[in-house]
Structures are given as structure tokens and as C-alpha cells.
């Protein structure tokens, strides 16, 4: 089915055509039978009349008929015919119109007479009735009649009138079919087209939607019920596409900023250093900054590649048993110096041992990002807390830091790629990929991650680290 | 000529600030939108180079605010945003030019110079003062085709007065446009700079080019009064 319009048009035309032809045929057959039945009843009435006129007496079988009452059997044109036989085949009587010729002999009973079509002796088409019966015997003759004999009577008359009526009926129904069919062929496509016009309007409107008009929505007010639910779904789809497009645009813009800004820095430093090569102090600083920029860009690209591997399922996992407590202490160690400089207190609540079997490198990456965020985003004079607790199937690790800027509205976006609270994306130590990577690695390792703002206003990230990598169970 | 560079990247501040100063501009630098707006409000800059994505107040808000206050300073937008809509929006809000990151320093310099020429209605970078010729594109002073060496500060003063040739320039205006925030200007500095420049422009038997109007300021002319 390539076109609903063609499909509906053809199906409707064919179906209606079938109904009309079928209905007219049934009508024709019904009327035909009624006419023939009516004709046959008239023949039967005549046969009845003849039967009343045939008597058997001691001399034999006789037809008591007065010709003046039945002139149709004795005229030249449009004559009717009858012939009467005794059961032994002797012709008892025949109509003068037969002029000595015979009618074909068939016999039924009065309850079930034989009717058939035939060619009349004068060549006209006709219809005949044949019945057998025992003729009437008068009571006076009853003792004298030794052998009661059966009689066959055949009456025939022309059926031209029936044929003409049936021809008119046939022509009438045929004309009706042709007229109706013509009407259907003209009307149905138009009706179908009119019925499908909302679909066309929908298609035309859809064709106008592009990346710049994703905020537009289908107007469902004047649409038929069948399309209203579809457009409702389409509007929901548009909303999702718009959201994804906005997200993608933001991602692209952020990505552009993350890469263009260091390139601009690198280029400006290099160009200014080359333009004034005598300024050795600036040149030396520019070279140092160039190294820092290349490291920063390398980190960004590495994180993007790692995220790409996470999302494509190509990140390799190498589970090994290790002590999570020891890992936490080792990873926190370098941050004590930074914390001291900002007057931040770091507090740990760890069990004696906490052995888990998971990918050590990926977990190090997760914890490094979380500790880095906790200390660097913690305001001066604040605190960072790290607590690890064992449960039946996992260990919960909570990293809490004082919070100065995050709000509840920020929480759903925190794990999005390149999201940063500072929309100006100032500073170069964070790219907005750290938490995305935490989320990506955590999914692979079966670690549940939850970010929340505590009642105290502190920011808390909780990891539920399974004792054993789920894939190994 | 004095330029305000509003940019949050420390490295770009260092590189562009250095390059502009080396090119003979007095440069003030702001690292966030709040400081940038404050400096633009209190100073009379020839050009403001404004990053769009800034902490505190974003660049477009600063642009709108300055235009709302009636400041007609030339503003060059500088940003990593690259779409046509971004550029159109910035220009519609009153920016005079737009440059996307990463940019060539020479292009930034050329655009700043073009904006300054536009400000002083000087389409030609060559300014003739008597027998001297000032080239604002390459920042040189020449006499009969021979370049006369000038310190960056002397050249800045020369260009500032040359584009205002025939117009009285106050000491305050010189302080505003020649000295950036790193130098605390005082009367002696301006007088000393004028004196040094006057010596280089005075030809034996030639006309006086820089004239002092006591209590008012200085005037640069082609001929002696």
C-alpha cells in the first residue's frame, strides 16, 4: 500500500461496485422468478379450468369445451395451445391452433406441475405446463366405467411479454449499475481526498518544520479525532526532539568553548611571542603556558574518548580484588595540601578493611574526579567528609562537601556532558566532563550514583559499590 | 589609544594585553563582567574588546547596559560562539565588530585599529603633520621617508594628538587615553612626555607643531600660529 488515497479509492469503488452488481443481480433474479411464477400460476389456473372440463364416462374421455369461451386457442396470431392425451398416448384433444401438430409431452401433478420453456409451433418462444390427473366421472357413470384412465394435459402460450419485461428489467438494472458506477468513480475519490485532507495539511505543516522551528507545535483544534491523538504524540515527539536538539546545541557550544578557548590562548601566546621575540621573559612564560594548555586539552580529549568508549560499550573491564579503604586514603592524600591552603577540613569515616572486586583503574578515575570536585568546589573554611559503610551486598561511599552555589535545579544536569555551574565556563582546571565520566564508569561497574543536597545545604555524592562486579556473579 | 580587554581567560589576558601594549595601546584588563562594566562606565576607552561568556555579567548584558547609558565606545565582541545567530544578536545589540576564537592576533590588532580610525573619522592610516607622516597602521613616524624612533608611550601620545589635529586636547584626556591602570598618571608624566615628543618634532627653523594652551591643554597643528 503506497497511497492511502489510492487504496481507499480502489477498495471503495470495487466494494461498492460489487454490492451494486450483487444487489441488482439478486433483484433481477427475484423479479424474474416473481414474473415467471405469476405467469406459471396463470398457466396452472388454465390447466385447472381444463381439468374441470374433462370428463370420463362409459364411452371414454371427453373434453367439454365451448370454443367461443376460449378463442385464444383458435386464432391465427398470438394463439395459445393445448393438447390432451390419454395415459396410453392417444390424443384426446388438441387446440385448433396446433393445426394437427403435437406439443411436447411432460407431466407433473396439480400439486407439482411441470413447467418448461419451449418454442411454440408458430416459432414464438413460449412456456408450457404439463399435468397428469384422473378426469372427473359423473356418479351416474361411475358404475359403468370399468377402467379409470389417467389424462395428460399440456398447455402452452407465448412468453414474449415475460421476455420483454425481463429485458426491460435487465436494461434498467444495467443502466442503474452504469450510472451508479460512474457516480462512484467521480464521487469516491473526491470524498476520500476530502476525508484525507487533514492528513495532507499535517504533511504540509510537517514539511515546514526544520531545526530552527522545533518550538512549533501541531494545532489539534480542527483535526478529526483519529488524527488528534497522532498529532498529540507528534507534539510530544517534537518536544523531545527540541529538548535533545537544545541539549546537543549546548553540548556543541560547550565543546567549542572547551576546545576553542585553549586554542585561542595557545595561538595568541605563540603569535605575540613570535612578534616580539626579544621579550624572552614573555616567550618563556608562553612556552610554559603552551605546555599547560596541551596537557589540559589532552585531558579533555582523553575524557571525551573515555566517555565515547563507555557509551559504545567498548570500555574494557579488568576486575581485581583490592582494599577500597586503602585506595580512598591514597587518593585523598594529595588533596590534603590543597585543602589546607583553603582552610578546608577533611574528615574520613572508614572501616578497617573494605575489599571489593571491581575494575581498579576505573574506580580510581571515579574517586579522583569526586575528590577533586569536593575539594576544589568547597568554599574556603568549609569541610569535606568521606564515609564508607558495608551493607549486605555493597558498600556505600558518601563524599560530602560544603556547598556555596549548587541548587536543587542543578542536580538533574550535573552528570550531563560538559555541564558546568558557571555558564561562562571560566577557569581551565575543570571541563565539565568529570561527573559524566563518573556516571559512565559507574554504569559499567554496576555502581549506583546519587547526587543530593543535604538539609544542611552540603552537597553529597553517594556511591553504592557492589562487593563483586555484577558480571562476575 | 586606550583599549579595555574584558576576558576571563588569564592566558588570553596576558598574551593579548602584552601584544596590545607592545603595539602602542594603553590596555586595561578585566577578568569578569562586573569589573568590565565598571571600568567601561568610569573610563573613556577608544575600543572595548569584550568576551561574551564571562563570569558575573555576560558580555551581551554589558553591551546592552553600555548602549543604554548612551556610551558610543566602539565594541569588538570576542567569543568562542560561532553561529550566525550569535553574531547577528551581538551586532544588533550595538557591537561594532565580531571576532571568533581562536583568532589571529594581527587580525585583532587590525580590527582594533580600524575601529579607532572609524572613531576619529580617519579612513586613511596616514596622517600628514607638516613634513612629518604618521602611519597608524604600522605605528611609525617618518620624516621625508626616514623613520624617527619613538618609544611606545611617545608614539601613543603622537597618534592620540595626530588624530585630533587642530583640536585642543586636555591633560585629562591624555591621561585617560595614554595611560592604563598599571600607571598612576600625574601632571609631570604628561608634561614630560609632551616635552620629549615636542623635541623630536621640532625641526631647526621649522614651525612649532605642539602648542601649549596654559590651563587648557595642548594643540597639534601643521603650521605655526
Amino acid at each position: 500500500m503506497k497511497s492511502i488515497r489510492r487504496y481507499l479509492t480502489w477498495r471503495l469503488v470495487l466494494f461498492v461496485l460489487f454490492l451494486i452488481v450483487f444487489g441488482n443481480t439478486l433483484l433481477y433474479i427475484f423479479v424474474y422468478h416473481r414474473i415467471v411464477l405469476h405467469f406459471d400460476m396463470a398457466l396452472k389456473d388454465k390447466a385447472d379450468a381444463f381439468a374441470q372440463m374433462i370428463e370420463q364416462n362409459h364411452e371414454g374421455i371427453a373434453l367439454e369445451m365451448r370454443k367461443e369461451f376460449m378463442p385464444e386457442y383458435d386464432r391465427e396470431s398470438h394463439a395459445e395451445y393445448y393438447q390432451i392425451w390419454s395415459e396410453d398416448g392417444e390424443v384426446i384433444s388438441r387446440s385448433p391452433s396446433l393445426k394437427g401438430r403435437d406439443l411436447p409431452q411432460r407431466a407433473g401433478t396439480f400439486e407439482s406441475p411441470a413447467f418448461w420453456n419451449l418454442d411454440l409451433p408458430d416459432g414464438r418462444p413460449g412456456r408450457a405446463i404439463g399435468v397428469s390427473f384422473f378426469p372427473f366421472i359423473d356418479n351416474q357413470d361411475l358404475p359403468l366405467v370399468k377402467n379409470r384412465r389417467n389424462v395428460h394435459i399440456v398447455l402452452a402460450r407465448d412468453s414474449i411479454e415475460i421476455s420483454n419485461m425481463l429485458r426491460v428489467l435487465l436494461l434498467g438494472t444495467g443502466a442503474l449499475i452504469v450510472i451508479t458506477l460512474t457516480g462512484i468513480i467521480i464521487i469516491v475519490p473526491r470524498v476520500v481526498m476530502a476525508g484525507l485532507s487533514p492528513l495532507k495539511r499535517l504533511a504540509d505543516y510537517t514539511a515546514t518544520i526544520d531545526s530552527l522551528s522545533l518550538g512549533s507545535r501541531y494545532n489539534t483544534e480542527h483535526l478529526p479525532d483519529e488524527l488528534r491523538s497522532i498529532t498529540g504524540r507528534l507534539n510530544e515527539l517534537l518536544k523531545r526532539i527540541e529538548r535533545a536538539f537544545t541539549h546537543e546545541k549546548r553540548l556543541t557550544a560547550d565543546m567549542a568553548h572547551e576546545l576553542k578557548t585553549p586554542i585561542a590562548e595557545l595561538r595568541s601566546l605563540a603569535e605575540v611571542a613570535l612578534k616580539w621575540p626579544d621579550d624572552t621573559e614573555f616567550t618563556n612564560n608562553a612556552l610554559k603556558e603552551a605546555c599547560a594548555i596541551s596537557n589540559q586539552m589532552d585531558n579533555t580529549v582523553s575524557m571525551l574518548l573515555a566517555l565515547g568508549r563507555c557509551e559504545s560499550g567498548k570500555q574494557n573491564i579488568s576486575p581485581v580484588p583490592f582494599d577500597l579503604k586503602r585506595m580512598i586514603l591514597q587518593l585523598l592524600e594529595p588533596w590534603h595540601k590543597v585543602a589546607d591552603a583553603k582552610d578546608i577540613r577533611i574528615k574520613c569515616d572508614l572501616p578497617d578493611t573494605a575489599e571489593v572486586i571491581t575494575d581498579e583503574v576505573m574506580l580510581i578515575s571515579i574517586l579522583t574526579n569526586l575528590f577533586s570536585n569536593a575539594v576544589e568546589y568547597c568554599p574556603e573554611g568549609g569541610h569535606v567528609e568521606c564515609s564508607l559503610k558495608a551493607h549486605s551486598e555493597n558498600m556505600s561511599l558518601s563524599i560530602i562537601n560544603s556547598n556555596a552555589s549548587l541548587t536543587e535545579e542543578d542536580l538533574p544536569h550535573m552528570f550531563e556532558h560538559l555541564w558546568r555551574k558557571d555558564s561562562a565556563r571560566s577557569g581551565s582546571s575543570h571541563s565539565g566532563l568529570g561527573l559524566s565520566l563518573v556516571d559512565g564508569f559507574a554504569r559499567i561497574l554496576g555502581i549506583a550514583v546519587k547526587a543530593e543536597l543535604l538539609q544542611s545545604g552540603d552537597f553529597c555524592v553517594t556511591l553504592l559499590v557492589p562487593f563483586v562486579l555484577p558480571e562476575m556473579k | 589609544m586606550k583599549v579595555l580587554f574584558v576576558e576571563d581567560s588569564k592566558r588570553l589576558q596576558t598574551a593579548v594585553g602584552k601584544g596590545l601594549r607592545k603595539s602602542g595601546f594603553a590596555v586595561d584588563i578585566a577578568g569578569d563582567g562586573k569589573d568590565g562594566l565598571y571600568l567601561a562606565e568610569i573610563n573613556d576607552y577608544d575600543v572595548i574588546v569584550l568576551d561574551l561568556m564571562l563570569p558575573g555579567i555576560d558580555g551581551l548584558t554589558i553591551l546592552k547596559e553600555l548602549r543604554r547609558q548612551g556610551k558610543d565606545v566602539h565594541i569588538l565582541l570576542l567569543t568562542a560562539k560561532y553561529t550566525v545567530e550569535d553574531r547577528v544578536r551581538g551586532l544588533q545589540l550595538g557591537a561594532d565588530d565580531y571576532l571568533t576564537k581562536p583568532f589571529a592576533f594581527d587580525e585583532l590588532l587590525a580590527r582594533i585599529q580600524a575601529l579607532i580610525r572609524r572613531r576619529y573619522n580617519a579612513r586613511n592610516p596616514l596622517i600628514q603633520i607638516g613634513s612629518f607622516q604618521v602611519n597608524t597602521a604600522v605605528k611609525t613616524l617618518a620624516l621625508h621617508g626616514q623613520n624617527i624612533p619613538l618609544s611606545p608611550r611617545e608614539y601613543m601620545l603622537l597618534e592620540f594628538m595626530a588624530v585630533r589635529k587642530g583640536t585642543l586636547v586636555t591633560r585629562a584626556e591624555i591621561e585617560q587615553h595614554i595611560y592604563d591602570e598599571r600607571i598612576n598618571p600625574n601632571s609631570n608624566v604628561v608634561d614630560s612626555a609632551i616635552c620629549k615628543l615636542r623635541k623630536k618634532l621640532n625641526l631647526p627653523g621649522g614651525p612649532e607643531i605642539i602648542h601649549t594652551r596654559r590651563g587648557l591643554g595642548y594643540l597639534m597643528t601643521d603650521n605655526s600660529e
Side-chain angles (χ1 to χ4, degrees):
Chain A
M1 184 184 70
K2 287 181 181 173
S3 157
I4 295 176
R5 187 173 61 83
R6 276 202 296 277
Y7 175 84
L8 284 178
T9 304
W10 278 110
R11 292 295 165 111
L12 278 172
V13 166
L14 290 174
F15 184 66
V16 174
L17 178 67
F18 168 76
L19 281 181
I20 287 170
V21 171
F22 183 71
N24 279 286
T25 306
L26 279 182
L27 179 68
Y28 176 81
I29 292 168
F30 176 74
V31 173
Y32 171 86
H33 280 283
R34 292 300 298 178
I35 290 171
V36 170
L37 183 68
H38 187 71
F39 190 88
D40 289 350
M41 287 303 106
L43 273 177
K44 187 170 177 281
D45 287 346
K46 281 203 171 185
D48 272 343
F50 265 91
Q52 298 298 321
M53 291 186 287
I54 297 170
E55 276 187 20
Q56 186 178 1
N57 54 32
H58 62 281
E59 290 175 348
I61 296 167
L63 173 67
E64 297 287 335
M65 187 181 81
R66 295 180 66 171
K67 287 182 181 176
E68 58 268 30
F69 292 129
M70 292 193 174
E72 62 269 31
Y73 296 105
D74 192 19
R75 60 191 177 203
E76 284 299 317
S77 65
H78 301 290
E80 295 182 14
Y81 305 91
Y82 71 85
Q83 190 167 354
I84 302 164
W85 295 267
S86 64
E87 65 182 12
D88 52 7
E90 178 195 352
V91 175
I92 297 167
S93 177
R94 59 162 66 92
S95 64
S97 56
L98 275 173
K99 293 177 181 170
R101 290 166 293 191
D102 287 326
L103 287 171
Q105 189 180 348
R106 283 188 207 173
T109 62
F110 272 108
E111 287 74 33
S112 176
F115 293 102
W116 71 97
N117 293 326
L118 76 169
D119 288 331
L120 296 175
D122 58 3
R124 288 175 296 146
R127 189 160 173 82
I129 181 173
V131 288
S132 289
F133 63 96
F134 289 102
F136 174 74
I137 302 170
D138 191 73
N139 286 340
Q140 291 177 346
D141 289 330
L142 200 58
L144 299 173
V145 176
K146 293 177 182 172
N147 184 20
R148 194 164 191 190
R149 294 164 69 196
N150 205 350
V151 169
H152 304 301
I153 180 168
V154 172
L155 299 177
R157 57 174 293 194
D158 71 69
S159 59
I160 292 171
E161 197 182 343
I162 299 181
S163 300
N164 286 341
M165 284 174 70
L166 290 175
R167 196 174 297 124
V168 169
L169 180 66
L170 194 63
L171 283 171
T173 50
L176 187 67
I177 288 173
V178 170
I179 291 167
T180 316
L181 184 63
T182 309
I184 287 167
I185 289 171
I186 294 168
I187 292 167
V188 165
R190 281 167 174 70
V191 171
V192 169
M193 202 176 274
L196 292 177
S197 63
L199 261 183
K200 190 178 178 305
R201 285 203 301 276
L202 209 64
D204 290 344
Y205 181 72
T206 306
T208 63
I209 300 173
D210 59 16
S211 60
L212 299 175
S213 56
L214 285 174
S216 58
R217 295 289 180 269
Y218 294 94
N219 185 357
T220 56
E221 260 181 42
H222 304 294
L223 284 176
D225 292 344
E226 293 81 358
L227 289 181
R228 202 168 288 174
S229 61
I230 294 174
T231 47
R233 297 287 169 85
L234 284 174
N235 279 338
E236 285 169 17
L237 177 67
L238 268 178
K239 200 174 170 183
R240 288 199 297 275
I241 292 174
E242 186 189 11
R243 206 180 301 137
F245 208 78
T246 308
H247 175 74
E248 204 64 30
K249 273 170 84 174
R250 186 189 64 76
L251 200 65
T252 309
D254 290 347
M255 186 81 77
H257 194 276
E258 284 305 322
L259 295 176
K260 279 189 166 188
T261 301
I263 291 171
E265 291 169 350
L266 204 56
R267 188 169 176 179
S268 295
L269 286 166
E271 285 183 357
V272 171
L274 285 170
K275 203 170 174 77
W276 290 281
D278 296 341
D279 192 338
T280 49
E281 188 189 346
F282 178 80
T283 305
N284 286 338
N285 281 336
L287 287 172
K288 281 180 196 164
E289 291 295 345
C291 284
I293 292 167
S294 63
N295 283 337
Q296 175 198 334
M297 289 178 76
D298 183 40
N299 282 340
T300 303
V301 172
S302 298
M303 286 174 113
L304 281 170
L305 288 173
L307 275 172
R309 283 197 300 274
C310 281
E311 285 168 3
S312 62
K314 289 179 181 168
Q315 179 71 34
N316 292 325
I317 310 172
S318 306
V320 287
F322 59 89
D323 185 1
L324 184 56
K325 179 197 171 184
R326 192 172 47 82
M327 178 191 276
I328 290 169
L329 291 174
Q330 277 177 357
L331 293 175
L332 263 177
E333 181 58 32
W335 293 104
H336 282 287
K337 201 175 170 184
V338 181
D340 289 345
K342 289 174 73 180
D343 193 23
I344 294 170
R345 284 170 289 111
I346 296 181
K347 186 181 155 192
C348 288
D349 179 13
L350 307 173
D352 292 337
T353 57
E355 186 160 300
V356 292
I357 302 175
T358 189
D359 188 298
E360 190 176 8
V361 176
M362 287 164 80
L363 193 59
I364 285 174
S365 181
I366 290 173
L367 296 182
T368 303
N369 274 299
L370 292 177
F371 291 150
S372 154
N373 283 349
V375 177
E376 292 198 9
Y377 289 119
C378 180
E380 283 189 17
H383 61 97
V384 172
E385 289 174 24
C386 175
S387 70
L388 183 65
K389 288 190 176 74
H391 302 288
S392 58
E393 290 191 348
N394 53 38
M395 304 207 75
S396 69
L397 171 63
S398 297
I399 300 162
I400 301 168
N401 63 278
S402 307
N403 164 45
S405 59
L406 288 175
T407 62
E408 286 287 345
E409 288 74 39
D410 295 327
L411 297 179
H413 304 290
M414 296 193 74
F415 295 97
E416 289 176 6
H417 296 355
L418 295 163
W419 182 85
R420 283 173 70 177
K421 172 71 180 173
D422 171 19
S423 60
R425 313 188 69 77
S426 302
S428 55
S429 60
H430 291 272
S431 60
L433 289 168
L435 283 180
S436 296
L437 200 63
V438 167
D439 189 48
F441 281 174
R443 280 174 201 271
I444 292 173
L445 299 181
I447 298 172
V449 186
K450 186 183 172 191
E452 61 187 325
L453 286 178
L454 304 178
Q455 280 191 335
S456 59
D458 291 346
F459 176 64
C460 174
V461 176
T462 305
L463 305 179
L464 293 179
V465 186
F467 288 118
V468 180
L469 195 71
E471 286 178 9
M472 294 175 68
K473 285 183 180 175
Chain B
M1 299 298 163
K2 197 166 182 178
V3 174
L4 172 63
F5 184 42
V6 190
E7 164 65 56
D8 59 329
S9 160
K10 290 252 187 301
R11 291 170 183 138
L12 274 179
Q13 288 174 13
T14 308
V16 174
K18 183 77 160 184
L20 290 177
R21 284 190 187 105
K22 290 263 187 190
S23 302
F25 291 99
V27 184
D28 284 351
I29 292 174
D32 60 47
K34 203 175 160 188
D35 288 352
L37 180 60
Y38 174 72
L39 286 173
E41 282 172 340
I42 62 164
N43 292 313
D44 182 19
Y45 292 103
D46 293 295
V47 173
I48 297 175
V49 179
L50 184 63
D51 186 22
L52 281 188
M53 291 169 79
L54 290 166
I57 306 172
D58 69 272
L60 284 179
T61 308
I62 294 174
L63 176 62
K64 271 195 284 187
E65 180 58 22
L66 291 177
R67 294 303 183 228
R68 193 190 63 75
Q69 292 176 13
K71 296 260 182 192
D72 61 352
V73 56
H74 286 300
I75 296 177
L76 188 154
L77 292 180
L78 192 67
T79 183
K81 289 187 174 181
Y82 57 91
T83 61
V84 175
E85 300 96 83
D86 291 329
R87 272 178 274 172
V88 169
R89 191 154 171 244
L91 293 171
Q92 280 176 342
L93 284 172
D96 298 277
D97 204 354
Y98 205 104
L99 195 59
T100 51
K101 293 177 186 174
F103 53 87
F105 178 76
D106 283 343
E107 187 183 354
L108 175 67
L109 201 57
R111 284 174 186 264
I112 291 172
Q113 285 167 342
L115 289 177
I116 288 172
R117 282 201 301 277
R118 209 197 297 174
R119 177 167 188 179
Y120 297 107
N121 295 317
R123 288 185 184 171
N124 190 346
L126 298 176
I127 304 169
Q128 199 70 36
I129 305 162
S131 307
F132 294 95
Q133 195 175 51
V134 181
N135 188 332
T136 59
V138 290
K139 310 281 182 193
T140 56
L141 171 69
L143 176 66
H144 307 307
Q146 292 291 314
N147 279 351
I148 298 169
L150 293 175
S151 70
R153 188 76 59 194
E154 286 166 351
Y155 176 80
M156 284 160 69
L157 181 58
L158 169 70
E159 187 182 314
F160 182 72
M161 296 190 75
V163 295
R164 293 166 177 78
K165 192 173 68 174
T167 309
L168 190 74
V169 180
T170 65
R171 183 175 282 116
E173 284 176 326
I174 293 173
E175 286 170 356
Q176 276 266 332
H177 286 264
I178 306 302
Y179 299 99
D180 59 29
E181 60 192 353
R182 301 185 310 167
I183 294 171
N184 185 19
N186 56 54
S187 299
N188 286 340
V189 170
V190 174
D191 290 339
S192 163
I194 289 283
C195 184
K196 282 183 183 172
L197 186 61
R198 188 178 272 149
K199 277 182 188 169
K200 292 194 175 174
L201 294 174
N202 274 350
L203 295 174
E208 187 88 4
I209 288 181
I210 298 175
H211 309 276
T212 304
R213 294 278 184 270
R214 295 274 169 221
L216 295 173
Y218 303 95
L219 181 70
M220 182 173 274
T221 59
D222 277 343
N223 307 306
S224 70
E225 291 172 295

